[in-house]
Amino acid sequence: MHDHFFVRLARATAPLVIWALHFALCYGLAAAQCTPGGMRAGGPDRVLLGVATVLALGACVWLGWRARGRLREPSVGLSGYAAVASALLAVIGIAWSGMPLLMVAGCA
């Protein structure tokens, strides 16, 4: 199977882009809801943050699973291993950055 450079690059970096979007969405939402003008009772919307975290984790696990399947091809290159490694890194990063958001009790 002959893939073009940008297709391989997109496959290898997609989990990291999902991680970055998750980080920006969750921390941006928490910051916006904790400003004096946007203060909510009880702090940031933990359900919304939890759903965003679960969706991001699911997307990265799915991308990693698909990349793992491509490792069995005889013509796998560095981009195949990078796709699996970036998916694993993104899952760890999303879980790590999502934990504090889910434990926040309120805005202080």
Side-chain angles (χ1 to χ4, degrees), residues 2-105:
H2 180 66
D3 289 331
H4 295 295
F5 171 74
F6 289 109
V7 173
R8 291 189 316 250
L9 181 66
R11 281 186 192 145
T13 59
L16 300 176
V17 171
I18 292 171
W19 178 16
L21 292 174
H22 170 264
F23 185 85
L25 172 83
C26 289
Y27 281 90
L29 180 67
Q33 291 180 345
C34 284
T35 60
M39 187 72 78
R40 298 175 19 108
D45 188 359
R46 293 170 48 174
V47 172
L48 180 60
L49 297 174
V51 168
T53 300
V54 168
L55 287 176
L57 282 171
C60 289
V61 166
W62 180 72
L63 288 171
W65 189 259
R66 287 189 59 198
R68 181 204 55 83
R70 286 191 195 97
L71 291 180
R72 297 178 184 171
E73 295 176 2
S75 63
V76 66
L78 180 62
S79 66
Y81 291 103
V84 173
S86 68
L88 181 61
L89 178 64
V91 166
I92 293 168
I94 291 168
W96 185 261
S97 64
M99 271 192 298
L101 289 171
L102 296 176
M103 290 188 265
V104 169

